Amino acid sequence: MNPRNPYYLHPGENLGATIVAPPLDDNNYHNWSKSMKRALTSKNKVSFINGTLPKPSESDKNYELWDRANSIMLSWINRTLSPHIAHSTICFDSAFNLWEDLRERFTKGNHFRFSDLLRKIHSIQQDDHSLSTYVTDLKILWDELEDLCLTPSCSCPTPCTCGLSKAVRNFKQMEYITYFLKGLNDNYQSIRTQILILDPLPPISRVYSLIAQQQIPPASNSTILYANNNNSKGRGHGSGKNSMVCTNCSKTNHTIETCYFKHGFPPGYLNKNPKSTTEQKTQVNSDTL
């Protein structure tokens, strides 16, 4: 048979295969279902659970093919369920019916889960976690929230002309970045403030990169220059932020990525530096050109 046919089964496929992990339990349905759909799509079998390949009649020439593939599908799904959930699904004879039963059972409490995720995201803090652990924990919560509350899309033909999808994406990115910066420890206060005054905000990957530079010394020739350890002795914990030197204006406590002289001063900013406003604008315009 053609490998593109959903009834096709590779000779290496077997009933005992476990195609996703960890198994479904009472708290991970959304992550489990996404992993399961991805695995079944890779095997060209997702049509068995989304309703696009209904069960044929027993007189249909494809019935035996469907029955064999469906049996393997049931086995694959059951082997990814925790024991007490698997025991409650033993009577299903259709992969589609089994999938629908699990969806109905584990999505009824979506409003409570949505409320719980919002509470966790609003209150998450870095505390004694590393930056990478904190970012990972926040992303897990955010991805699950996105899965529960899908981003609305417009009905425009590609490409979009109304701008709704882009506006919604930008708003959600701003929201995500705000939560991320808000939960950082106080030692990131300086760079956090410099990022928040940027308009528009850079992508989350860029924001993370700027934050990560404050804790990972570069090997050489970076926009962040670290003071010699011998000069730092006896200055206490507060000397770290003065070790940053901007390669654009040669001033301390920021980098070129957030330099006002490079990117422009925010509205209402009162400059205490000796350069005049005209000189500042000249330098900004020169750098821009």
Side-chain angles (χ1 to χ4, degrees):
M1 293 180 63
N2 187 342
R4 294 185 177 182
N5 191 305
Y7 294 134
Y8 172 80
L9 291 172
H10 189 274
E13 303 289 14
N14 62 85
L15 292 172
T18 301
I19 60 176
V20 300
L24 172 66
D25 57 31
D26 294 330
N27 301 306
N28 68 341
Y29 172 77
H30 293 282
N31 290 335
W32 172 86
S33 63
K34 289 176 69 174
S35 298
M36 199 69 187
K37 287 177 183 177
R38 189 179 297 117
L40 294 178
T41 299
S42 71
K43 295 177 178 293
N44 196 26
K45 296 292 182 291
V46 74
S47 57
F48 280 84
I49 64 171
N50 64 13
T52 60
L53 187 64
K55 177 181 178 180
S57 64
E58 293 187 10
S59 60
D60 192 293
K61 64 178 182 179
N62 290 324
Y63 177 78
E64 291 185 1
L65 297 175
W66 177 90
D67 191 44
R68 182 179 62 165
N70 177 71
S71 295
I72 287 188
M73 289 281 296
L74 285 169
S75 177
W76 284 345
I77 295 175
N78 273 284
R79 286 188 64 82
T80 64
L81 308 178
S82 58
H84 77 285
I85 296 177
H87 186 71
S88 68
T89 63
I90 196 66
C91 295
F92 286 97
D93 59 1
S94 163
F96 174 75
N97 291 337
L98 172 56
W99 185 266
E100 285 297 295
D101 177 79
L102 295 173
R103 184 183 65 82
E104 286 290 322
R105 194 188 314 181
F106 291 101
T107 60
K108 289 299 184 183
N110 276 358
H111 294 297
F112 294 99
R113 183 56 182 161
F114 182 79
S115 174
D116 186 50
L117 286 170
L118 282 179
R119 178 184 58 80
K120 290 181 178 179
I121 291 174
H122 277 282
S123 61
I124 191 171
Q125 299 288 324
Q126 181 184 357
D127 294 329
D128 57 349
H129 299 296
S130 67
L131 183 62
S132 60
T133 299
Y134 164 65
V135 169
T136 301
D137 291 343
L138 177 60
K139 188 177 188 305
I140 291 173
L141 295 173
W142 185 262
D143 286 348
E144 186 173 351
L145 183 68
E146 288 282 276
D147 190 50
L148 282 176
C149 185
L150 297 177
T151 301
S153 58
C154 65
S155 56
C156 295
T158 305
C160 171
T161 56
C162 72
L164 173 63
S165 297
K166 181 179 180 181
V168 172
R169 286 196 304 270
N170 289 343
F171 177 79
K172 288 202 168 186
Q173 174 182 265
M174 179 186 68
E175 192 176 26
Y176 185 25
I177 292 172
T178 302
Y179 288 136
F180 166 61
L181 294 174
K182 184 171 76 74
L184 289 170
N185 290 339
D186 290 342
N187 55 307
Y188 293 106
Q189 178 61 35
S190 178
I191 184 65
R192 174 169 52 197
T193 302
Q194 294 176 50
I195 292 174
L196 286 173
I197 65 174
L198 297 178
D199 187 18
L201 288 174
I204 182 63
S205 58
R206 181 58 178 157
V207 171
Y208 175 75
S209 176
L210 292 172
I211 296 295
Q213 289 182 59
Q214 309 308 305
Q215 68 166 7
I216 305 177
S220 61
N221 297 328
S222 170
T223 57
I224 301 177
L225 304 179
Y226 285 78
N228 187 287
N229 289 336
N230 293 331
N231 295 331
S232 301
K233 292 180 179 180
R235 297 182 183 177
H237 298 293
S239 61
K241 66 179 183 179
N242 291 325
S243 62
M244 294 185 294
V245 179
C246 177
T247 56
N248 180 62
C249 67
S250 301
K251 299 185 181 299
T252 61
N253 203 28
H254 69 276
T255 66
I256 191 173
E257 287 85 355
T258 54
C259 180
Y260 292 164
F261 292 101
K262 178 73 173 179
H263 304 288
F265 287 78
Y269 181 83
L270 298 178
N271 183 27
K272 298 180 180 180
N273 294 314
K275 286 186 176 182
S276 66
T277 303
T278 302
E279 291 173 326
Q280 293 167 5
K281 291 182 179 179
T282 301
Q283 182 171 350
V284 171
N285 293 335
S286 175
D287 290 340
T288 303
L289 294 175

